[in-house]
Amino acid sequence: MKRIFCAAIAALTLFSFTACQKEPAPKEFTAEKLKPIFQEAITAARDEEINQVLPILSSSEDEGGALIFDMVGLTDEDIKAAGISISPMNIKAYGVAIIAPAEGKTEAVQTGLDNFVKAQQQSFANYLPDQGEIANSAILTTREDGIIVLVMCEDAQTVYDSITATLDEKLK
């Protein structure tokens, strides 16, 4: 009887220990690992014409990067890793960004992207109404893993779904 009792206690203890263990923390990805994933996610979500016309930037040091980073109110210090593609001309409401904020910079990145969207909405409110609708339909979210995604373009939901599917696959 003692053996059965001891075996039951041991089994219960083992069960309790394994049941209480937390899920492993998500992998910590470096900026070097994230940048190509972000670029791949954006590239796969867009058509070839947009991919050729609007480059994907990861730093203000990239060609045209200073202008784009200024448009979204961000600096390199705000970002751990990024893929940002924005129309620099005020004839198209277009912005796609995937950003892993630097530590302590989540709010700054969210605010910068939100201000960019609001500026686009204002800019197109009475000028090019079709672009105003695109700006008003922008999607700006922060994922559970802390990555911030902005999609402001035609068929935004489809582009967003494609980006998040790629991120989910590559970051697991």
Side-chain angles (χ1 to χ4, degrees):
M1 184 68 141
K2 285 183 181 179
R3 284 186 209 168
I4 294 173
F5 181 72
C6 288
I9 295 293
L12 185 58
T13 303
L14 181 61
F15 174 77
S16 296
F17 176 73
T18 57
C20 292
Q21 283 184 326
K22 293 182 179 179
E23 287 292 315
K27 296 177 185 174
E28 181 64 31
F29 289 96
T30 64
E32 292 74 29
K33 175 90 173 172
L34 290 172
K35 285 178 188 179
I37 292 171
F38 292 175
Q39 290 201 350
E40 179 182 340
I42 294 171
T43 300
R46 307 189 305 183
D47 64 34
E48 190 58 36
E49 180 182 351
I50 295 292
N51 282 329
Q52 288 184 4
V53 174
L54 294 172
I56 302 167
L57 308 171
S58 58
S59 164
S60 66
E61 301 294 320
D62 295 342
E63 184 177 336
L67 171 67
I68 298 302
F69 273 57
D70 188 50
M71 286 178 71
V72 294
L74 299 176
T75 66
D76 288 329
E77 291 76 31
D78 295 326
I79 295 169
K80 174 180 178 179
I84 302 173
S85 183
I86 291 176
S87 175
M89 301 174 78
N90 202 16
I91 57 170
K92 187 172 187 79
Y94 184 88
V96 176
I98 306 171
I99 300 174
E103 190 167 332
K105 297 293 187 168
T106 299
E107 188 175 333
V109 172
Q110 290 170 331
T111 300
L113 293 175
D114 189 50
N115 288 341
F116 168 72
V117 170
K118 287 176 182 173
Q120 292 294 296
Q121 290 168 341
Q122 278 186 321
S123 177
F124 291 112
N126 297 312
Y127 169 71
L128 299 174
D130 61 323
Q131 297 303 307
E133 288 178 30
I134 290 170
N136 288 331
S137 299
I139 300 168
L140 177 59
T141 63
T142 301
R143 294 166 39 99
E144 288 182 15
D145 56 14
I147 294 171
I148 299 171
V149 178
L150 165 67
V151 177
M152 180 176 50
C153 62
E154 291 181 41
D155 203 11
Q157 189 63 54
T158 302
V159 172
Y160 177 81
D161 292 344
S162 175
I163 286 171
T164 56
T166 300
L167 293 175
D168 290 345
E169 175 189 331
K170 300 292 182 177
L171 298 177
K172 59 181 168 179

